[in-house]
Amino acid sequence: MRRFAVPLLLTLALTPGAVSAHGEAPQAMHGGLIKEAQELWVELVVKGADVAVYVVDEARKPVPANQVSGTATVLVGGQSYKVELSASGGDGVQGKLPAPVTGNVVAVVALKVGGKAVSARFTSKA
């Protein structure tokens, strides 16, 4: 057992850590938060009561909004709200919260992208 430990430790030490299979996260094109989700990149933008979600593929190309549907569950003032997201003419899907978000943004986005289930969790300052 011990003779395998040294080669294993050397291999782990020489392997770059925390590297995503899909490279670095793309820049947030809409000023939101970016997360990798099932081979896609999801951007969440929360401004006041407006929620928008944008999806880009591995090649950093926007996924058309007509291929995206789902919900965003957002925590606002200790209350959880589920928002239906729908296409509204751009390259993202949008919804509206009953109350504006101030302070930290905590959200879970559950989408269907081209029939494939995709989810991402976001936590950050608004």
Side-chain angles (χ1 to χ4, degrees):
M1 177 98 162
R2 221 178 166 101
R3 67 182 140 158
F4 296 112
V6 172
L8 176 62
L9 288 174
L10 284 174
T11 301
L12 291 173
L14 297 175
T15 303
V19 175
S20 169
H22 307 291
E24 287 186 34
Q27 185 173 352
M29 299 301 290
H30 304 92
L33 306 169
I34 294 278
K35 290 287 183 172
E36 184 177 13
Q38 293 83 21
E39 301 177 9
L40 299 168
W41 293 97
V42 179
E43 179 180 1
L44 172 70
V45 180
V46 179
K47 290 185 180 175
D50 297 323
V51 177
V53 175
Y54 304 90
V55 181
V56 295
D57 62 18
E58 292 178 55
R60 309 297 199 261
K61 294 181 183 173
V63 174
N66 63 0
Q67 294 180 18
V68 180
S69 64
T71 61
T73 304
V74 183
L75 188 63
V76 179
Q79 180 75 24
S80 178
Y81 294 101
K82 191 172 193 175
V83 178
E84 290 293 325
L85 301 170
S86 59
S88 63
D91 59 346
V93 290
Q94 299 178 354
K96 196 147 191 92
L97 292 163
V101 175
T102 57
N104 290 336
V105 173
V106 178
V108 176
V109 175
L111 304 171
K112 285 275 188 173
V113 180
K116 178 181 177 182
V118 174
S119 64
R121 177 175 159 69
F122 298 88
T123 304
S124 187
K125 297 249 181 219

